[in-house]
Amino acid sequence: MPPPGGPPGRGPGGRGFLTEDEKANRPKITKALLKRIFSYLLPYIPHMLVVIAAIVISSFLAIYPSLLTGGMIDSMVGNPVHFTGPIGAIINAFSGSDSFSILLTLIGTSFALFILSQLIGIVQQWLNQWIGLHITFDMKNKLYAHLQSMSHRFYSTSKQGDIITRMTSDVDGVRQTITGTLTQVVSNVSTLIIALAAMYQKNWILATVGVVMVPFFVIPTKSVGKKRWELTRKAQEKNDEINQILNETLSVSGQMLVKLFTAEQKEYSKYFKTSKEQVALALRESMVGRWFMFVIGTFTNIGPMLIYLVGGILILKYDSTLTVGDVTIMVALLSRLYQPVNSLLNLQVELIRSMALFTRLFDYFDMPVEVKNAPNALIPAGVNGDITFEDVRFSYDPDKEILKGVSFTVPAGKSVAIVGPSGAGKSTIINLIPRLYDVSAGAIKLDGRDIRELDLTFLRRNVGVVNQDTYLFNGSIRENLLYANDEATEEQLISACRDANIHDFIASLPNGYETVIGNRGIKLSGGERQRVSIARAILKNTKILILDEATSSLDSISESLIQDAIDPLLQGRTSLVIAHRLSTIMSADEILVVKDGEIVERGTHRELVPLNGVYTELYETQFRRALEEEQRTREENAVFINAPE
């Protein structure tokens, strides 16, 4: 007889109790929360009713063979056998008058009911999984669409792991709630009611004897379950430590660091120690499980013994109408009774965990969309490219203002270089143009219209950006380039790469534009990634172009190649350039010097150098040295190119 409680990790023998964190953050179950959860189930109510009906029928068919075992035994010892109900009528109709014929009929019926129960169970399981998968499909799509609409602030302040957990583990946990918890409740309740009804219908005395034993294995189950869960929790913590060691030391960067610092033995010792501790905890947990099985097995076997004892007394001492077959039926039904009891004991725990999952997901759904379209967002016929900042103020944190009344204008087709010390607010200025964030005060205007009045998609389609931190997807070079314009022709693709001085390199690769470049473009050098990113921006072909330290990741040769492409790239476009390269800065129509969130100087290179201000200091410490290195690199490259073979 299988002990109650289910497999390790579930029920009282596994995660039968709430953790301290779950207790502290126990969700408040309200009518509004239940109504919101029900809204996701509502489209699938007809399917769920079919599942419930299938569970009840399957539970009845699974228990009925236990009733037939008594008839089998009575037919073997010559006792009269008679069944009632629809199935009983069929058995009585098809069985003969002799005991052997009855026995064969009962065996055949029991086997047929088992097969039918299993077939219904398969259909119920398929439909149950179908419902769970479609509900989570709906939730994942809705959540993904919502996350796509969140502002850049959300992603810069939230933990990426937490976002992924909500999208994966939490939603999958909801599916487990629907396909597991709810159906188990229905199944266990159905089995319990049917078993109790059958037992008391057969003999109330023996039924009561069996039920009285239930509390005796419930109590040790809860006590031992607490100890086992504590050991499981500690073992999981050790497992997390091992995963952390593996992630850190077996990654590309981690392995390089380990080798460079000759820390192989140190890391092995750490891994060995943690693994040994995990083994010890797992051994203790397994032994607690064995004692748990021993205690439960003892009590669950006492129940049938008592039924045999009381049944024997009734038959032998009181000449009861009770038969040996009846006693056998009661023992079989008792095993059906014990199994669902422990599962139902954990109903509260499972429901709290389920509510917590829904609450975590709803927390994300309820996060307001900070940057969104105006009710009547405008989609102009075209873009001229005039950009105006009017007394723009901005802060990531209410207690610290980043931009303090920034005002400037970039006429269409002109370029502005933004320079200043680190942390001055340069990147913040350019991030506000495509509305990755919205201004706290003031306004940014495109062709005289506040960008908050423009359709967000229209605005961003007309702004090209090359960031300092180049991001490429794990796909082919072609796929990464076409991300900017999926309707671009092959000629446009190649032309953009030629302008970025990357076509010859791509063409030299064995697979050319179909070369897969790995996660974040890891298979390319920093300069190659940056040039692909610039080609992608060229392919987008926007009126407004933003270069945020676009040449900062280039080696000397790549920088020389890309510098030749930047000047024509900026021609005819409204451009804002953050750069530390003097040649790039000097080619701009105007230079804005930013310090502590304010524009402290503005003008051309010739106008700013004599002022002995912030720009002069930057020029002396950074720009001139960079220019000298750039000129030296160009001379070295020229010598290399013109050298005789």
Side-chain angles (χ1 to χ4, degrees):
M1 181 185 301
R10 293 188 59 84
R15 287 203 62 181
F17 300 90
L18 296 174
T19 65
E20 293 302 319
D21 182 64
E22 288 172 325
K23 290 178 182 178
N25 298 288
R26 180 178 303 194
K28 185 178 181 180
I29 301 176
T30 62
K31 182 179 179 181
L33 175 61
L34 294 176
K35 184 178 179 180
R36 192 169 183 181
I37 293 172
F38 185 75
S39 68
Y40 287 93
L41 308 180
L42 190 59
Y44 304 97
I45 290 298
H47 305 82
M48 296 187 73
L49 291 176
V50 174
V51 169
I52 292 172
I55 290 173
V56 173
I57 294 172
S58 180
S59 298
F60 174 77
L61 294 178
I63 284 180
Y64 205 88
S66 299
L67 300 175
L68 300 182
T69 56
M72 296 178 194
I73 293 174
D74 285 340
S75 65
M76 286 187 287
V77 298
N79 290 332
V81 179
H82 184 76
F83 292 93
T84 59
I87 298 179
I90 296 173
I91 295 173
N92 294 329
F94 282 92
S95 61
S97 57
D98 62 292
S99 297
F100 185 70
S101 175
I102 294 173
L103 177 62
L104 290 177
T105 302
L106 292 177
I107 292 174
T109 303
S110 179
F111 182 73
L113 290 175
F114 170 78
I115 295 298
L116 182 59
S117 172
Q118 293 298 308
L119 291 174
I120 293 175
I122 291 173
V123 174
Q124 173 261 316
Q125 183 67 17
W126 181 88
L127 185 56
N128 190 34
Q129 291 294 332
W130 185 91
I131 294 170
L133 288 169
H134 278 75
I135 290 176
T136 53
F137 173 80
D138 296 340
M139 295 191 75
K140 282 185 176 181
N141 284 312
K142 184 177 179 181
L143 182 58
Y144 186 77
H146 180 68
L147 290 174
Q148 289 283 18
S149 67
M150 297 300 289
S151 73
H152 197 62
R153 186 194 303 271
F154 169 77
Y155 293 99
S156 61
T157 56
S158 301
K159 294 180 179 179
Q160 185 180 12
D162 187 51
I163 297 173
I164 300 301
T165 297
R166 304 287 174 112
M167 276 294 301
T168 54
S169 300
D170 285 0
V171 179
D172 289 339
V174 167
R175 180 169 68 87
Q176 180 60 37
T177 297
I178 297 166
T179 61
T181 304
L182 294 181
T183 54
Q184 282 184 10
V185 169
V186 174
S187 178
N188 288 324
V189 169
S190 300
T191 302
L192 191 60
I193 292 174
I194 293 171
L196 280 172
M199 289 176 70
Y200 275 95
Q201 187 271 336
K202 181 62 64 175
N203 187 283
W204 71 269
I205 297 176
L206 295 183
T208 303
V209 170
V211 171
V212 165
M213 288 303 301
V214 171
F216 289 95
F217 67 78
V218 169
I219 295 171
T221 294
K222 295 182 75 67
S223 177
V224 174
K226 289 181 180 179
K227 180 63 176 176
R228 188 174 183 184
W229 164 236
E230 179 64 22
L231 291 172
T232 302
R233 182 184 62 80
K234 290 181 178 179
Q236 183 59 45
E237 289 175 356
K238 290 299 175 185
N239 187 60
D240 292 342
E241 288 183 30
I242 289 175
N243 288 337
Q244 182 70 15
I245 293 171
L246 294 176
N247 286 331
E248 289 182 346
T249 61
L250 296 185
S251 65
V252 175
S253 301
Q255 260 299 296
M256 180 181 292
L257 194 65
V258 169
K259 286 179 168 57
L260 291 176
F261 285 88
T262 62
E264 291 91 344
Q265 187 58 43
K266 176 182 177 181
E267 295 299 339
Y268 173 77
S269 299
K270 188 192 301 182
Y271 179 81
F272 180 86
K273 178 177 179 292
T274 307
S275 296
K276 188 174 182 180
E277 291 171 350
Q278 185 190 38
V279 168
L281 286 169
L283 182 60
R284 288 177 60 193
E285 180 191 352
S286 66
M287 290 312 297
V288 168
R290 289 308 305 164
W291 285 110
F292 166 74
M293 299 289 282
F294 170 76
V295 172
I296 296 305
T298 300
F299 282 112
T300 53
N301 279 281
I302 288 177
M305 300 298 180
L306 287 176
I307 287 181
Y308 284 130
L309 175 62
V310 175
I313 292 173
L314 291 175
I315 294 173
L316 300 174
K317 299 292 185 181
Y318 296 95
D319 195 23
S320 171
T321 57
L322 198 68
T323 67
V324 174
D326 292 335
V327 175
T328 304
I329 290 173
M330 298 300 288
V331 172
L333 290 174
L334 190 63
S335 67
R336 296 288 184 178
L337 175 69
Y338 283 169
Q339 290 178 20
V341 169
N342 274 311
S343 295
L344 291 174
L345 287 173
N346 294 312
L347 175 61
Q348 180 186 13
V349 172
E350 295 300 328
L351 284 179
I352 289 174
R353 289 202 178 103
S354 301
M355 294 302 104
L357 287 175
F358 278 110
T359 301
R360 279 170 54 84
L361 290 172
F362 292 156
D363 284 345
Y364 263 36
F365 279 126
D366 293 338
M367 287 182 178
V369 178
E370 183 180 351
V371 178
K372 57 185 177 182
N373 270 340
N376 299 308
L378 302 174
I379 303 179
V383 171
N384 188 32
D386 291 296
I387 296 176
T388 303
F389 275 59
E390 295 181 352
D391 195 27
V392 170
R393 296 180 179 274
F394 178 79
S395 59
Y396 298 103
D397 187 325
D399 298 329
K400 184 179 180 181
E401 196 171 43
I402 303 299
L403 298 183
K404 308 167 185 177
V406 172
S407 298
F408 65 89
T409 297
V410 187
K414 299 297 183 181
S415 63
V416 166
I418 304 175
V419 301
S422 178
K426 303 186 297 295
S427 294
T428 300
I429 290 174
I430 64 172
N431 285 336
L432 293 175
I433 296 174
R435 289 189 68 193
L436 296 181
Y437 305 92
D438 269 341
V439 299
S440 304
I444 301 174
K445 295 184 177 180
L446 174 59
D447 296 338
R449 294 190 180 96
D450 192 318
I451 60 174
R452 289 170 293 188
E453 299 174 1
L454 300 176
D455 178 78
L456 195 56
T457 300
F458 169 82
L459 172 66
R460 291 175 178 170
R461 280 180 177 172
N462 284 280
V463 178
V465 180
V466 180
N467 288 313
Q468 178 179 2
D469 182 18
T470 301
Y471 190 94
L472 299 175
F473 291 106
N474 186 7
S476 69
I477 295 175
R478 181 185 302 278
E479 289 170 336
N480 275 278
L481 291 169
L482 292 179
Y483 199 76
N485 180 5
D486 54 10
E487 296 180 356
T489 64
E490 186 72 12
E491 291 74 16
Q492 291 172 326
L493 190 78
I494 294 174
S495 176
C497 291
R498 287 191 188 279
D499 290 343
N501 284 321
I502 191 67
H503 170 72
D504 291 342
F505 165 75
I506 297 173
S508 69
L509 298 172
N511 295 320
Y513 282 87
E514 307 306 325
T515 301
V516 176
I517 56 179
N519 188 33
R520 298 182 67 92
I522 189 66
K523 295 181 181 180
L524 302 179
S525 70
E528 291 159 358
R529 288 196 299 271
Q530 195 65 277
R531 282 183 282 162
V532 169
S533 178
I534 291 173
R536 184 170 59 186
I538 296 171
L539 198 62
K540 191 175 181 183
N541 193 27
T542 59
K543 284 284 189 178
I544 301 167
L545 183 65
I546 295 172
L547 302 178
D548 183 2
E549 298 287 0
T551 61
S552 63
S553 298
L554 302 179
D555 53 75
S556 58
I557 296 177
S558 297
E559 181 183 340
S560 177
L561 292 171
I562 207 62
Q563 285 294 344
D564 294 336
I566 285 182
D567 286 342
L569 172 64
L570 301 180
Q571 294 300 319
R573 290 185 173 91
T574 304
S575 56
L576 292 90
V577 182
I578 297 177
H580 289 160
R581 309 296 180 184
L582 187 57
S583 58
T584 304
I585 296 169
M586 291 178 66
S587 65
D589 294 300
E590 185 179 21
I591 301 169
L592 303 179
V593 184
V594 181
K595 182 179 181 182
D596 296 329
E598 298 179 286
I599 297 178
V600 294
E601 296 171 5
R602 60 197 310 164
T604 65
H605 173 73
R606 291 180 179 275
E607 294 169 344
L608 294 176
V609 171
L611 297 179
N612 293 320
V614 177
Y615 184 81
T616 306
E617 183 180 352
L618 290 171
Y619 172 69
E620 295 293 340
T621 58
Q622 298 180 31
F623 300 154
R624 187 164 63 179
R625 183 171 62 249
L627 179 62
E628 292 170 353
E629 291 176 358
E630 181 181 331
Q631 291 174 340
R632 184 166 55 252
T633 299
R634 286 180 179 272
E635 292 172 359
E636 291 173 354
N637 290 340
V639 171
F640 175 78
I641 293 172
N642 297 322
E645 296 183 4

